[in-house]
C-alpha cells in the first residue's frame, strides 16, 4: 500500500500545486497561499520526509513523483521552487496530462556545475552533506543565508524562512541526504524537449545557487518557454518580492 501524504487545500478556481525546496517545508508558502487562493484552488504538502510528512519515506526522485501524483489533482498548474522545480518538471514529463502549466522558481534542470553548464560547485554540496550529519541546525542556517544572499531584504528573508522551517517537524536526515543527491546527480536537460506544457521560469538575478547565466542557456535550449528575472531578488523571490511574484504567476496562468 502506497503511503499517504498529508495534503492541504485552500481557495476556489483552477487547481494550482505548490512544491517546496530542499531543507524547507510547505511553511515557506505562508504568505503566498492567501494571495493565490483568491483566484485558485491551491494545493500544497510537505515533501516525503519533511514536516507533516516526516514519517513518509522516498528513496528516489521517481518515488517522490509517485507519492505526489497519488493524491494530487487530476489536472493542475504546478509551481516548484528550487529542488521543487526539478520535482515539478519531472511530474510534467512523467504525467503530462496531469500538469496543465509548469512554473519553476529559482530552479534548474541541472543544479550541478558541469563542463557545459553553469551551476553549483561540487564543494558546496559536499560541505552541506558533511555538515548535515554534524549539526542540522547550523547547516540549515547557512543554507538560508545562501538563499537570501544579495537580496536587499536578506535579513528579513532569512528570518521568515527560518521561522517557516522551525514551525514544523525537523526533516528526516535521509530525506535531506536524498535531496542533496538529487541536486548533485539529476540532469533533466536531455528530456526538456518532451515538455508539452506552457513553462514559465522565474529567476532572481542575485541568486547564488542558480546562476543567472542559466536563464539564457535554457531560453536557447527550450525557446518555447518563458522567463522572468527579478533584478534585485536572490533565491526566494516569492518572499523578497511577494506582490510582484504573485502578479507574474497570475499573469502566466491566466
Amino acid at each position: 500500500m502506497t503511503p499517504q501524504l498529508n495534503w492541504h487545500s485552500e481557495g476556489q478556481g483552477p487547481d494550482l500545486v505548490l512544491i517546496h525546496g530542499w531543507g524547507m517545508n510547505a511553511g515557506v508558502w505562508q504568505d503566498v497561499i492567501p494571495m493565490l487562493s483568491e483566484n485558485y484552488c491551491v494545493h500544497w504538502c510537505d515533501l516525503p520526509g519533511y514536516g507533516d510528512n516526516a514519517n513518509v519515506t522516498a528513496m528516489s526522485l521517481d518515488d517522490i513523483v509517485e507519492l505526489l501524483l497519488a493524491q494530487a489533482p487530476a489536472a493542475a498548474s504546478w509551481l516548484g521552487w528550487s529542488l521543487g522545480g526539478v520535482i515539478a518538471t519531472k511530474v510534467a514529463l512523467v504525467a503530462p496530462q496531469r500538469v496543465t502549466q509548469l512554473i519553476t522558481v529559482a530552479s534548474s534542470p541541472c543544479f550541478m556545475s558541469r563542463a557545459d553548464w553553469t551551476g553549483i560547485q561540487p564543494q558546496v554540496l559536499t560541505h552541506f552533506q558533511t555538515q548535515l550529519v554534524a549539526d542540522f541546525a547550523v547547516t540549515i542556517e547557512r543554507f538560508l543565508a545562501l538563499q537570501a544572499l544579495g537580496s536587499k531584504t536578506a535579513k528579513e528573508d532569512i528570518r521568515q524562512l527560518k521561522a517557516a522551517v522551525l514551525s514544523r517537524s525537523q526533516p528526516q536526515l535521509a530525506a535531506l541526504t536524498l535531496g542533496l543527491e538529487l541536486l548533485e546527480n539529476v540532469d533533466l536537460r536531455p528530456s526538456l524537449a518532451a515538455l508539452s506544457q506552457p513553462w514559465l521560469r522565474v529567476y532572481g538575478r542575485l541568486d547564488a545557487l542558480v546562476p543567472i547565466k542559466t536563464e539564457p542557456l535554457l531560453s536557447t535550449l527550450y525557446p518555447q518557454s518563458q522567463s522572468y528575472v527579478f533584478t534585485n531578488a536572490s533565491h526566494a523571490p516569492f518572499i523578497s518580492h511577494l506582490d510582484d511574484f504573485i502578479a507574474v504567476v497570475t499573469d502566466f496562468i491566466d
Side-chain angles (χ1 to χ4, degrees), residues 5-220:
L5 294 171
N6 291 309
W7 280 82
H8 307 274
S9 300
E10 184 176 315
Q12 294 183 335
D15 291 305
L16 171 61
V17 174
L18 306 180
I19 305 296
H20 68 80
W22 178 87
M24 305 291 107
N25 53 50
V28 297
W29 306 121
Q30 59 188 0
D31 294 327
V32 172
I33 291 168
M35 299 183 73
L36 286 177
S37 63
E38 293 178 5
N39 298 298
Y40 310 104
C41 184
V42 184
H43 309 268
W44 70 95
C45 70
D46 293 322
L47 288 171
Y50 290 83
D52 291 344
N53 293 313
N55 62 330
V56 181
T57 300
M59 303 299 292
S60 65
L61 178 57
D62 288 341
D63 282 354
I64 296 172
V65 168
E66 181 180 354
L67 284 164
L68 290 171
L69 284 173
Q71 296 166 260
S77 298
W78 284 61
L79 186 158
W81 169 51
S82 196
L83 177 60
V86 173
I87 295 169
T89 301
K90 185 68 172 181
V91 170
L93 290 166
V94 169
Q97 74 282 4
R98 303 283 300 275
V99 181
T100 57
Q101 292 165 301
L102 174 64
I103 305 169
T104 55
V105 181
S107 189
S108 174
C110 178
F111 268 83
M112 183 63 68
S113 181
R114 304 179 191 274
D116 63 340
W117 191 253
T118 301
I120 303 173
Q121 294 301 312
Q123 61 268 24
V124 174
L125 290 185
T126 300
H127 180 70
F128 277 134
Q129 181 73 39
T130 302
Q131 291 301 311
L132 268 176
V133 178
D135 194 324
F136 168 79
V138 169
T139 304
I140 293 299
E141 184 95 27
R142 290 172 179 169
F143 188 66
L144 291 174
L146 263 181
Q147 294 189 37
L149 187 66
S151 170
K152 291 182 178 179
T153 57
K155 289 184 179 179
E156 180 62 17
D157 293 353
I158 294 171
R159 187 192 68 77
Q160 290 190 41
L161 285 168
K162 185 176 180 180
V165 173
L166 297 180
S167 70
R168 306 192 181 194
S169 300
Q170 181 172 313
Q172 294 179 9
L173 180 59
L176 293 169
T177 300
L178 172 61
L180 288 180
E181 291 174 354
L182 296 179
L183 290 173
E184 181 177 1
N185 297 314
V186 171
D187 185 355
L188 297 180
R189 289 178 296 165
S191 303
L192 294 181
L195 282 175
S196 57
Q197 304 87 348
W199 179 18
L200 172 65
R201 298 173 286 112
V202 179
Y203 300 91
R205 187 180 63 84
L206 305 176
D207 196 338
L209 296 175
V210 179
I212 195 59
K213 290 182 180 179
T214 63
E215 187 274 329
L217 291 175
L218 275 174
S219 293
T220 300

